[in-house]
């Protein structure tokens, strides 16, 4: 039981890290806190479902189209809305939150409110690890997360766009003097962040069903992990994901499942009181943006 | 010139056709049935479909006899969204009032979806004196209100399962499992909402504690939860023989998928709303085999070979809609309600609300879900034999996607099959 709890806590942490990756990347590069993140997550899952069930696409093609579509939508969202309000923290929050609400409620209005919306698992098997039965989909999430984290590390360290991202993140004004187009990089960061939300939805959603409410839950979880870890910090996301993931899992097992969301909120509260910038965040950024 | 004459002629014809009296009469006005409910939910939507099926059947046979003339039924439905998150009860009430005032219905069928909306609408319905046979909201408090002031609230009836009968039937299934297999170790998993908490606590206090069962835990999950692995691990490590789930949220069937994936050697038997209809097999990746689900009414998503009326209903639905019926609560009672209303109107011989109510109180109707009679709280009486009362139908999903009715014994088509790794304790 204890070993099983540890194992599932680890998996839960990886799920949280995967959920938060896109939100964190966007904030780290552009400074935009994308409150439409949860909506983009749900949108990509619904798009995948529509392509699979109504258009008859093969699974991987449906997933790929959905990820690209969501990334494109993220880019357009920046170009036509966020670019006009970038730098005005309150306007950014209101506009992204508004867009998110509009997306989620549009799906509700269109009648996507039942339980019949679910994505198939990649591999229909389960394995016994340290005495605990774990399904292949959860292991797939771990694998995808590790691959994504590694790919992101390669991207920001060894590609010109990644280096430009880092430049903007470290000192926007100096980066601009070197000819880096801040708005263009910000647009790409929102787009890639949205794409990462779509990747997360594609691998996490087969564990449950797609529902509009999931958008709000994902946003809360992503926000909790990013705030606790320090907005924009990659290492912070990993550490905070582990802390929140383990706390949630142990609460679930030893106190009660209905207390798990409270754990995240209490953790945010404690972090904001003791170290408002989070584990690895920069105090200055947090003050400016939040 | 000829063109002008034609134009003026057509124009004159149009004006006359709009202003003049109708040249033909198509018989008496139809009897309007108002259906204000939550049509975005599968049960609301399917209840309207089964109601339409009954209306079509009755109209095809000439309609309802009111005194000396036959009149057709006409349905006026409105989505009052009372089950949707964030929709306040007053908004649902506005929808009900709109149907009453604008459509002038003789009766309301199906009715509010959420119990809160039903309770709040009782005064409205009493004010306008429109008979209503509700088929979805389950709160027993409405019956108490009717008993306390029958003169005022006599217009409200319910012909679906209520929460008290749900508890009784879940206890019946647990007692049946105990009798069949000798199991007495259970883990209860339920949604963290009022009705599910009350149902779970009611079963624990009124049955498990009194009958010597060991309750390993009573796990509450917030609405929307989709990870049930900690509860399942508790069941496994504690040696639970039965897992009793009580959920109506969309993600709840995922619990059965996870129970299947984790190969927990315990019988999953209880109530999970999304497991009801045949489409659940595909929706949940063909991984729900072995779960026992207490459906609310016989005919709602499941028929029994031992009930010809339920089979005929199932066939008629498939013939009309070219697909199987998918909702597990409200569908059979909504269909029955149209016939119950028809008989009441014919017995009353008029469309007067008080006369219809008096006739409804004397209902004794053999329908899809069994025999319908109302008690003094205007709640349909449930029992174990469809010849005597309305019945629920607990069924088990087979490993090949079929569904076998296993409880009550009067309509059972087969025995409960235990999951791999679990042996009878007898």
């Amino acid at each position: 039981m204890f070993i099983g709890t540890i194992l599932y806590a680890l998996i839960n942490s990886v799920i949280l890290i995967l959920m938060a990756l896109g939100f964190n990347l966007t904030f780290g590069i552009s400074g935009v806190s994308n409150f439409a993140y949860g909506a983009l997550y749900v949108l990509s899952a619904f798009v995948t479902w529509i392509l699979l069930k109504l258009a008859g696409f093969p699974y991987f093609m449906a997933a790929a189209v959905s990820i690209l579509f969501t990334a494109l939508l993220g880019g357009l969202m920046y170009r036509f809305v966020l670019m006009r309000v970038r730098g005005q923290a309150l306007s950014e929050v209101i506009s992204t939150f508004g867009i998110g609400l509009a997306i989620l409620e549009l799906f509700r209005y269109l009648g996507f409110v039942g339980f019949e919306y679910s994505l198939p698992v990649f591999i229909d098997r389960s394995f016994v690890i340290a005495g605990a039965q774990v399904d292949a989909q959860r292991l797939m999430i771990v694998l995808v997360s590790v691959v994504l984290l590694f790919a992101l590390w390669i991207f920001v360290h060894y590609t010109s766009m990644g280096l430009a991202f880092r430049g903007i993140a470290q000192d926007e004004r100096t980066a601009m003097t070197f000819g880096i187009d801040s708005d263009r990089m910000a647009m790409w960061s929102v787009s890639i962040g949205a794409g990462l939300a779509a990747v997360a939805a594609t691998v996490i959603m087969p564990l449950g069903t797609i529902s509009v409410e999931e958008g709000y839950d994902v946003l809360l979880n992503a926000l909790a992990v990013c705030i606790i870890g320090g907005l924009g910090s990659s290492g912070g996301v990993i550490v905070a994901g582990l802390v929140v993931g383990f706390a949630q899992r142990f609460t679930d097992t030893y106190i009660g499942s209905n207390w798990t969301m409270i754990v995240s909120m209490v953790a945010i509260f404690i972090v904001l009181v003791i170290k408002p910038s989070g584990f690895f965040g920069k105090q200055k950024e947090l003050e400016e943006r939040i | 010139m000829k063109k002008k004459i034609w134009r003026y002629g057509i124009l004159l014809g149009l004006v006359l056709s709009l202003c003049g009296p109708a040249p033909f009469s198509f018989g008496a006005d139809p009897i309007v049935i108002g259906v204000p409910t939550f049509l975005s939910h599968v049960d609301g939507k399917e209840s309207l479909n089964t109601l339409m099926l009954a209306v079509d059947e009755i109209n095809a046979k000439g309609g309802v006899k009111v005194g000396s003339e036959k009149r057709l039924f006409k349905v006026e439905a409105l989505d009052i969204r009372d089950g949707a998150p964030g929709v306040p009860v007053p908004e649902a009430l506005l929808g009900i009032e709109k149907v009453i005032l604008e459509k002038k219905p003789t009766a309301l069928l199906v009715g509010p979806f959420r119990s809160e909306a039903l309770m709040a609408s009782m005064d409205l319905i009493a004010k306008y004196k429109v008979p209503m046979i509700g088929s979805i909201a389950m709160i027993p408090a409405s019956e108490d209100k009717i008993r306390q002031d029958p003169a005022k609230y006599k217009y409200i009836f319910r012909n679906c399962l209520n929460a008290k009968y749900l508890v009784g039937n879940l206890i019946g299934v647990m007692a049946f499992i105990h009798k069949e297999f000798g199991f007495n170790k259970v883990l209860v998993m339920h949604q963290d909402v009022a009705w599910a908490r009350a149902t779970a606590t009611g079963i624990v206090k009124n049955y498990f504690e009194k009958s010597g069962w060991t309750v390993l835990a009573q796990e509450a999950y917030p609405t929307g939860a989709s990870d049930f692995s900690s509860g399942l691990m508790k069941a496994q490590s504690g040696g639970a023989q039965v897992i009793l789930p009580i959920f109506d949220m969309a993600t709840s069937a995922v619990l059965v998928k996870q129970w299947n994936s984790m190969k927990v050697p315990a019988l999953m038997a209880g109530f999970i709303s999304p497991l009801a209809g045949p489409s659940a097999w595909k929706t949940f990746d063909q991984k729900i085999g072995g779960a026992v689900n207490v459906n609310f009414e016989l005919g709602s998503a499941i028929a029994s070979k031992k009930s010809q009326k339920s089979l005929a209903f199932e066939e008629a639905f498939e013939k009309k809609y070219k697909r199987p019926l998918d909702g597990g609560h409200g569908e059979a009672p909504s269909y029955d309600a149209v016939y119950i209303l028809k008989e009441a109107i014919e017995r009353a011989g008029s469309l007067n609300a008080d006369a219809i109510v008096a006739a409804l109180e004397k209902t004794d109707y053999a329908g899809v879900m069994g025999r319908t009679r109302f008690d003094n709280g205007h709640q349909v009486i449930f029992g174990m034999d469809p010849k005597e009362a309305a019945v629920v139908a607990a069924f088990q999903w087979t490993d090949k996607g079929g569904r076998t009715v296993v409880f009550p014994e009067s309509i059972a088509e087969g025995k409960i099959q235990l999951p791999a790794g679990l042996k009878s304790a007898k």
Side-chain angles (χ1 to χ4, degrees):
Chain A
M1 176 82 173
F2 184 73
I3 301 286
T5 304
I6 297 273
L7 186 67
Y8 272 89
L10 200 60
I11 294 168
N12 188 36
S13 302
V14 175
I15 289 174
L16 289 174
I17 291 167
L18 187 58
M19 275 181 185
L21 266 185
F23 185 89
N24 191 61
L25 179 107
T26 300
F27 186 86
I29 308 302
S30 64
V32 171
S33 33
N34 182 5
F35 277 75
Y37 186 75
L40 293 169
Y41 178 95
V42 170
L43 173 130
S44 66
F46 273 128
V47 169
T48 309
W49 186 90
I50 290 165
L51 293 175
L52 276 174
K53 308 284 176 176
L54 304 183
F57 276 41
Y59 188 85
F60 287 101
M61 193 192 284
V65 171
S66 168
I67 292 164
L68 289 175
F69 174 77
T70 313
L72 179 68
L73 197 69
L76 291 174
M77 199 172 90
Y78 181 84
R79 176 65 186 80
F80 292 105
V81 182
L82 289 173
M83 204 169 94
R84 296 161 194 267
V85 294
R86 190 172 168 218
Q88 303 162 42
L90 191 59
S91 301
E92 280 175 11
V93 169
I94 291 170
S95 56
T96 53
F97 196 70
I99 292 168
L101 276 180
I103 292 171
L104 292 175
E105 295 308 316
L106 178 68
F107 276 107
R108 201 196 300 280
Y109 176 76
L110 292 174
F112 288 84
V113 286
F115 56 81
E116 61 265 47
Y117 309 103
S118 70
L119 298 178
V121 293
F122 290 156
I123 310 165
D124 189 12
R125 285 187 65 185
S126 63
F127 304 91
V128 179
I129 301 170
Q133 198 93 26
V134 183
D135 54 286
Q137 189 64 31
R138 282 174 213 268
L139 298 177
M140 180 65 72
I141 293 169
V142 175
L143 182 71
V144 169
S145 304
V146 171
V147 169
L148 264 186
L149 281 170
F150 184 67
L152 275 176
W153 187 81
I154 296 282
F155 174 72
V156 295
H157 284 85
Y158 296 102
T159 66
S160 54
M161 185 186 279
L163 291 170
F165 272 10
R166 288 177 70 196
I168 291 283
Q170 282 171 16
D171 191 330
E172 191 175 345
R173 285 175 201 278
T174 309
M176 286 169 80
T177 62
F178 282 93
I180 296 170
D181 185 339
S182 171
D183 266 332
R184 195 162 150 263
M185 289 303 120
M187 186 176 77
W188 274 109
S189 77
V190 177
S191 178
I192 293 171
L196 287 172
V199 174
T202 309
V203 288
I204 296 170
M205 275 294 184
L207 291 178
T209 53
I210 313 166
S211 70
V212 170
E213 277 65 40
E214 192 74 13
Y216 301 105
D217 285 349
V218 167
L219 178 63
L220 271 180
N221 274 319
L223 208 56
V225 169
C226 291
I227 289 176
I228 293 165
L231 279 160
S233 160
S234 305
V237 164
I238 295 171
V239 174
L242 287 165
V243 169
V244 177
F246 270 75
Q248 281 187 347
R249 190 68 203 189
F250 275 80
T251 308
D252 189 351
T253 305
Y254 297 105
I255 300 174
S257 184
N258 42 352
W259 290 87
T260 49
M261 191 48 91
I262 294 169
V263 168
S264 314
M265 297 303 119
V266 169
I268 289 178
F269 175 76
I270 293 170
V271 167
L272 286 179
V273 168
I274 297 170
K275 193 171 186 297
S277 57
F279 292 159
F280 300 98
K282 294 171 190 166
Q283 181 76 41
K284 180 174 154 282
E285 267 189 37
L286 202 64
E287 278 172 358
E288 278 179 4
R289 294 290 174 192
I290 301 294
Chain B
M1 186 64 186
K2 265 187 180 178
K3 272 186 182 175
K4 271 191 176 177
I5 291 171
W6 271 109
R7 273 184 201 161
Y8 286 126
I10 290 167
L11 194 65
L12 188 66
L14 279 172
V15 170
L16 286 175
S17 67
L18 288 173
C19 300
F24 302 109
S25 170
F26 291 99
D29 288 340
I31 299 167
V32 176
I33 296 173
V35 184
T37 193
F38 180 31
L39 293 171
S40 311
H41 189 279
V42 64
D43 284 329
K45 192 168 59 185
E46 290 287 64
S47 290
L48 177 61
N49 287 335
T50 58
L51 183 143
M52 291 300 303
L53 174 65
V55 164
D56 287 353
E57 286 172 359
I58 291 167
N59 286 349
K61 288 178 186 165
V64 188
K65 199 172 177 202
V66 188
S68 59
E69 63 177 355
K70 278 223 164 187
R71 295 170 67 171
L72 302 181
F73 271 138
K74 184 185 172 193
V75 176
E76 294 287 355
L78 183 74
D79 189 354
I80 57 171
R81 299 181 70 239
D82 57 328
V87 174
V89 167
E91 195 178 315
L93 294 186
L94 283 176
I96 297 169
E97 196 165 28
K98 183 181 166 75
V99 170
I100 293 172
L101 294 177
E102 291 181 8
K103 307 298 177 188
K104 309 267 186 272
T106 296
L108 300 174
L109 298 186
V110 187
F113 187 91
R114 281 277 171 231
S115 294
E116 291 87 338
L118 169 66
M119 293 305 291
S121 70
M122 287 178 78
D123 285 293
L124 192 71
I125 291 162
K127 177 182 157 190
Y128 291 111
K129 297 183 177 14
V130 185
M132 181 179 87
I133 309 175
S135 306
I136 291 198
M138 292 173 66
I139 190 166
S142 64
E143 297 155 37
D144 298 335
K145 211 167 165 179
I146 294 165
R147 285 192 194 98
Q148 281 160 15
D149 193 349
K152 184 178 178 186
Y153 297 116
K154 66 181 179 183
Y155 303 95
I156 296 134
F157 292 77
R158 171 167 45 221
N159 76 329
C160 63
L161 194 74
N162 70 0
K164 275 184 190 166
Y165 281 122
L166 174 62
V167 170
N169 276 286
L170 283 167
I171 287 174
V173 171
M174 291 299 122
F176 179 68
I177 288 169
H178 178 71
K179 190 181 102 186
E180 288 282 298
F181 306 109
F183 293 156
N184 60 1
K185 207 179 258 190
V186 64
L187 185 126
V188 183
M189 300 170 95
H190 65 84
Q191 200 169 329
D192 197 14
V193 289
W195 77 268
R197 269 196 307 268
T199 303
T201 307
I203 297 167
V204 169
K205 284 194 173 163
N206 296 318
Y207 177 66
F208 290 134
E209 285 178 0
K210 289 178 182 170
S211 308
W213 283 62
T214 304
V215 180
L216 292 172
Q218 193 177 322
E219 299 275 309
Y221 290 86
T223 302
S226 58
D227 186 0
F228 303 93
S229 49
S230 71
L232 291 168
M233 277 199 287
K234 271 185 201 170
Q236 194 159 17
S237 62
Q241 295 154 323
V242 179
I243 295 170
L244 168 61
I246 303 164
F247 293 93
D248 74 355
M249 63 192 194
T251 51
S252 50
V254 175
L255 161 64
V256 186
K257 266 173 76 175
Q258 289 171 10
W259 162 74
N260 235 316
S261 301
M262 292 171 73
K263 297 184 181 14
V264 181
L267 181 65
M268 178 73 70
F271 170 68
I272 293 183
S273 174
L275 277 193
S279 68
W281 182 249
K282 271 192 177 173
T283 302
F284 298 106
D285 289 343
Q286 308 179 358
K287 294 191 85 174
I288 53 177
V292 175
N293 201 43
V294 176
N295 240 37
F296 280 5
E297 304 97 9
L298 173 62
S300 295
I302 186 102
S304 165
K305 287 170 190 149
K306 292 186 178 174
S307 161
Q308 285 308 311
K309 279 226 169 189
S310 71
L311 282 178
F313 169 64
E314 190 180 51
E315 281 170 21
F317 186 92
E318 287 195 34
K319 194 175 168 193
K320 180 174 167 66
Y321 294 104
K322 317 285 181 224
R323 61 175 175 82
L325 176 58
D326 215 33
H329 173 48
E331 291 74 14
S334 297
Y335 176 85
D336 279 353
V338 183
Y339 280 97
I340 290 166
L341 177 66
K342 173 187 181 280
E343 287 193 2
I345 291 172
E346 290 181 343
R347 279 201 304 277
S350 88
L351 298 182
N352 175 275
D354 290 326
I356 291 173
V357 166
L360 279 174
E361 284 176 338
K362 289 176 190 142
T363 296
D364 190 348
Y365 174 75
V368 171
M369 57 178 193
R371 186 177 175 186
T372 292
R373 285 175 298 163
F374 293 107
D375 64 16
N376 64 355
H378 288 184
Q379 163 64 37
V380 68
I381 298 161
F382 271 79
M384 293 295 162
D385 185 350
K387 286 176 191 143
E388 295 302 320
V391 291
V392 300
F395 67 86
Q396 184 172 33
W397 278 98
T398 69
D399 289 333
K400 291 183 177 169
R403 293 171 303 155
T404 308
V405 178
V406 292
F407 182 84
E409 286 167 294
S410 62
I411 55 166
E413 299 167 333
K415 295 274 182 195
I416 292 176
Q417 304 299 312
L418 297 179
L422 181 66
K423 286 187 179 161
S424 172
K426 280 184 108 177

